[in-house]
Amino acid sequence: MFSVLWTVIFVVVINAIIATIGSDNIGELAWTLWVTLIPSPASKKEKKLREVQKAAIALGTEISGVSAQDEFATWAKLNRKMDKLKDEMEKLNAGLGAQRAFFKVQVRRAVWVSTTGLKFLVRIKYRKAPVFWLPKGMFPGWIEWVLSLTSAPKGSVSVAVWFMVVDYAIKGTVVYILTKSVQGVVYIRSEKLAKVQVKAKSGKPAAEDTSKSSSESAVKSESEKKTE
Amino acid sequence: MAAIVSDDIMDEALAPTLQNILDQKTLRWIFVGGKGGVGKTTTSCSLAVQMAKVRRSVLLISTDPAHNLSDAFGQQFSKDAEKVNNVDNLWAMEINPNGSIQEMIDQSAASNSNNGMSNMMQDLAFSIPGVDEAMSFAEVLKQVKSTDFEVIIFDTAPTGHTLRFLSFPTVLEKALAKVSELSGRFGPMLNGLLGQQGMSGPDGDMFAKLESMRQTITEVNEQFKNPDLTTFVAVCIPEFLSLYETERMIQDLAGFHIDIHCIVVNQMLFPGKNSTCPQCNARYKMQQKYAEQINELYEDFHVVKMPLLTEEVRGAERIKEFSKMLIEPYVPPE
């Protein structure tokens, strides 16, 4: 059975994942997928824009190969073409920019509903359900009362409290994993760096020290960011 | 940018003369423009002289702050149209693009020196970019419209100014809307604070002036966009920078939907075959290169090539002499 306990964990994990990716990035990703995979006026425009951009880049290289002084006519004609392409690009960009912004707002809304909204819903729906029962007499009465807030039966852990606990644990895990992986990467890098420095003979200990301390500070700042 | 010309002109589209402009009887406005120092004034004077031969009345206006009309004709002109000596049917005037706005500021400052609100609004209105040029231009256009010259030829200031003026109405419209909105919103409040009354007098006056100016410009711009009424003559010399500017100007004009189908290439050198002047020969070679490029690039234009003379083109007689070459292509002596 898909109990309340697992529902809460599931919701929190989804929340944590989305928060780490960032809803803006999700919007960007969704827009790219939408434009490349699903045929629509927007995707046509995007395709056109890509083509025009490619053409402009090709034309740019062509122009740079033509001497303005010696072949002014050719050069000017190419530049006229370039102006036209740039105009077209601007128009396409303006149209797409509005559509893209609108799309991203929609995505952000959807993301909000499926995270914060879902959390809210679960909290209200199961507000009276006990997530699990505490062994009798394990805690004094007032702690039992706090753990059953807001309206779960006394002696059980309520959804709200369970949310808090899981939230804390998951966030801590995420931060831990991230910190560790970053640390690992930095460690490997500094290891390599040290080897390179050793190879470059006369391994200067001072240089190694500074690289280590800088990598440490990098890790620190990274983990600080995450906890924020 | 394709020149919109009537069919009979199209047939001789490559004729290297300005005859087509003389023949186009519907023309009312002719602009002569290009980079500084390429011979705009000489060209516009020459064109005016030729026009005056086939039209009832022609007005030549210089909007260049460095006035050269007086120099070219050897006669002092002012901001009122004046008959040019020794040339029939031709009048000329010189306007200072910075004059009229200063006058207006002084005038209004004298009439209401202690009205803080209206002063502020004026400062705002005058800070609209390009407003001064446009104002003087509008002033002139008003004058010109009331007279009945058949053709009006503008000897414009170097490139940028003209174009800015032509794009002006939209800029002004937006800016005016903002300023008048501001003054409408805060004017009464500030007046209440300052304990003054009757700001509508001088201030309203100024906005009326700006508004009428805008109307003039919009109206005239409509005419400028009509290829039957208006054309632009680009003047350049066969050198890279001049060509570059000309190409840009032509593209910009196309953006403003202003007809242009004539290019005058000035200062062409034609040293004789036996010339021993190394500079002349080298320059001749370079000029020929650019001349070829011009022919290739502007095949749907009338490209008129004018020789560099050994004397300055000054005085009505010399201009008359020079102007013939706009109509009869110059043939270099063998």
Side-chain angles (χ1 to χ4, degrees):
Chain A
M1 182 195 124
F2 205 61
S3 64
V4 184
L5 189 141
W6 285 106
T7 311
V8 168
I9 292 178
F10 179 69
V11 168
V12 170
V13 166
I14 285 182
N15 255 304
I17 290 172
I18 285 175
T20 10
I21 299 173
S23 63
D24 209 50
N25 289 338
I26 292 175
E28 203 68 47
L29 193 73
W31 169 255
T32 316
L33 287 177
W34 165 262
V35 156
T36 43
L37 296 182
I38 296 156
S40 69
S43 74
K44 260 183 217 156
K45 262 191 200 168
E46 180 82 19
K47 215 175 162 191
K48 189 87 206 285
L49 181 66
R50 294 260 165 79
E51 274 166 22
V52 173
Q53 273 169 339
K54 244 186 215 164
I57 290 169
L59 197 60
T61 46
E62 200 181 336
I63 287 176
S64 64
V66 175
S67 153
Q69 275 81 12
D70 294 338
E71 302 157 86
F72 185 79
T74 326
W75 185 81
K77 275 177 190 166
L78 288 176
N79 266 307
R80 284 180 195 171
K81 261 194 220 161
M82 192 62 153
D83 284 347
K84 257 184 213 159
L85 286 181
K86 272 183 184 159
D87 270 2
E88 206 175 330
M89 238 145 75
E90 233 162 68
K91 266 184 212 155
L92 285 171
N93 256 332
L96 274 174
Q99 271 174 323
R100 180 204 194 103
F102 177 76
F103 186 87
K104 275 173 82 172
V105 167
Q106 300 308 317
V107 168
R108 214 169 299 154
R109 229 170 250 175
V111 166
W112 190 89
V113 166
S114 58
T115 54
T116 316
L118 194 63
K119 243 177 171 174
F120 199 66
L121 201 78
V122 169
R123 216 172 272 186
I124 286 181
K125 196 178 168 195
Y126 298 110
R127 68 188 182 280
K128 286 185 179 161
V131 177
F132 56 86
W133 293 96
L134 295 167
K136 241 185 184 163
M138 189 176 178
F139 296 109
W142 63 272
I143 287 184
E144 277 185 0
W145 177 79
V146 167
L147 289 179
S148 70
L149 281 179
T150 52
S151 38
K154 201 178 168 192
S156 72
V157 171
S158 73
V159 173
V161 171
W162 184 232
F163 253 119
M164 257 162 57
V165 172
V166 175
D167 222 28
Y168 189 77
I170 297 272
K171 261 184 198 153
T173 318
V174 169
V175 169
Y176 179 79
I177 291 171
L178 278 175
T179 317
K180 274 291 160 197
S181 53
V182 169
Q183 249 174 349
V185 170
V186 171
Y187 180 73
I188 291 166
R189 273 216 192 133
S190 63
E191 197 86 322
K192 266 187 194 165
L193 201 73
K195 266 184 199 164
V196 169
Q197 275 169 349
V198 169
K199 259 188 194 169
K201 73 178 179 188
S202 71
K204 285 171 195 161
E208 237 170 310
D209 274 354
T210 51
S211 76
K212 244 187 200 171
S213 67
S214 71
S215 64
E216 266 169 20
S217 68
V219 170
K220 245 187 207 168
S221 66
E222 195 68 39
S223 61
E224 269 166 15
K225 258 186 213 162
K226 291 298 174 225
T227 46
E228 267 169 32
Chain B
M1 173 227 60
I4 306 158
V5 283
S6 53
D7 287 341
D8 53 333
I9 294 171
M10 211 57 188
D11 289 338
E12 44 178 324
L14 289 171
T17 73
L18 292 186
Q19 185 67 41
N20 65 90
I21 289 184
L22 301 190
D23 291 342
Q24 200 181 342
K25 294 282 182 195
T26 53
L27 273 184
R28 180 154 162 72
W29 312 94
I30 300 173
F31 288 88
V32 179
K35 219 170 162 256
V38 297
K40 277 189 305 294
T41 304
T42 311
T43 308
S44 57
C45 289
S46 303
L47 181 59
V49 166
Q50 285 299 324
M51 274 313 239
K53 281 187 187 167
V54 293
R55 296 288 202 284
R56 229 179 341 100
S57 54
V58 176
L59 175 64
L60 176 60
I61 302 178
S62 161
T63 58
D64 195 333
H67 290 310
N68 307 319
L69 288 189
S70 301
D71 242 21
F73 283 110
Q75 178 186 346
Q76 195 57 47
F77 296 110
S78 64
K79 58 179 188 169
D80 297 311
E82 244 169 87
K83 179 81 181 57
V84 178
N85 298 335
N86 302 327
V87 185
D88 293 335
N89 304 335
L90 181 60
W91 283 260
M93 65 196 271
E94 289 181 336
I95 51 165
N96 187 352
N98 300 322
S100 85
I101 187 122
Q102 203 50 52
E103 248 169 55
M104 214 171 129
I105 292 174
D106 291 347
Q107 211 178 359
S108 58
S111 66
N112 53 303
S113 50
N114 52 3
N115 187 338
M117 186 59 210
S118 107
N119 276 347
M120 201 179 88
M121 279 308 138
Q122 272 176 21
D123 285 350
L124 262 179
F126 290 137
S127 64
I128 300 169
V131 79
D132 41 356
E133 286 158 38
M135 255 174 143
S136 61
F137 225 118
E139 206 65 30
V140 173
L141 290 173
K142 245 190 214 163
Q143 275 181 43
V144 166
K145 260 169 63 189
S146 60
T147 59
D148 60 340
F149 288 102
E150 229 185 308
V151 179
I152 293 132
I153 299 176
F154 282 96
D155 174 26
T156 66
T159 321
H161 293 251
T162 326
L163 294 179
R164 215 176 337 144
F165 167 70
L166 292 172
S167 67
F168 195 71
T170 33
V171 178
L172 184 67
E173 214 150 88
K174 277 180 200 156
L176 265 187
K178 276 269 149 56
V179 171
S180 60
E181 187 193 319
L182 263 178
S183 99
R185 192 175 293 170
F186 296 116
M189 186 188 83
L190 276 178
N191 268 351
L193 278 178
L194 297 170
Q196 279 171 352
Q197 344 144 342
M199 72 160 260
S200 63
D203 211 38
D205 210 37
M206 202 198 65
F207 280 110
K209 228 172 189 172
L210 278 177
E211 181 57 28
S212 83
M213 174 181 100
R214 191 185 62 77
Q215 270 172 8
T216 313
I217 296 179
T218 314
E219 196 185 315
V220 169
N221 257 15
E222 275 317 304
Q223 292 194 19
F224 287 171
K225 282 174 187 167
N226 186 343
D228 291 332
L229 294 176
T230 308
T231 195
F232 203 104
V233 177
V235 183
C236 67
I237 53 177
E239 268 172 34
F240 175 70
L241 274 181
S242 178
L243 269 191
Y244 177 77
E245 294 266 336
T246 307
E247 164 68 9
R248 249 188 36 201
M249 187 173 72
I250 287 172
Q251 295 307 321
D252 284 346
L253 285 171
F256 293 129
H257 306 288
I258 291 169
D259 174 60
I260 175 165
H261 59 269
C262 291
I263 298 176
V264 176
V265 185
N266 264 328
Q267 300 180 10
M268 294 286 286
L269 276 177
F270 296 104
K273 260 188 185 152
N274 306 322
S275 167
T276 50
C277 155
Q279 283 88 353
C280 309
N281 286 331
R283 212 153 180 84
Y284 170 75
K285 235 175 153 183
M286 185 203 78
Q287 289 195 344
Q288 287 307 312
K289 181 180 86 182
Y290 284 117
E292 263 167 42
Q293 300 293 329
I294 292 175
N295 284 341
E296 194 187 328
L297 186 60
Y298 303 111
E299 36 187 19
D300 48 352
F301 281 66
H302 295 269
V303 179
V304 188
K305 293 185 177 126
M306 304 292 274
L308 179 68
L309 302 185
T310 45
E311 82 263 348
E312 275 189 283
V313 184
R314 285 171 84 173
E317 288 314 312
R318 273 186 183 156
I319 290 176
K320 273 184 191 169
E321 202 54 42
F322 186 74
S323 71
K324 282 178 191 158
M325 288 183 285
L326 285 175
I327 310 306
E328 302 272 327
Y330 172 74
V331 182
E334 280 305 310

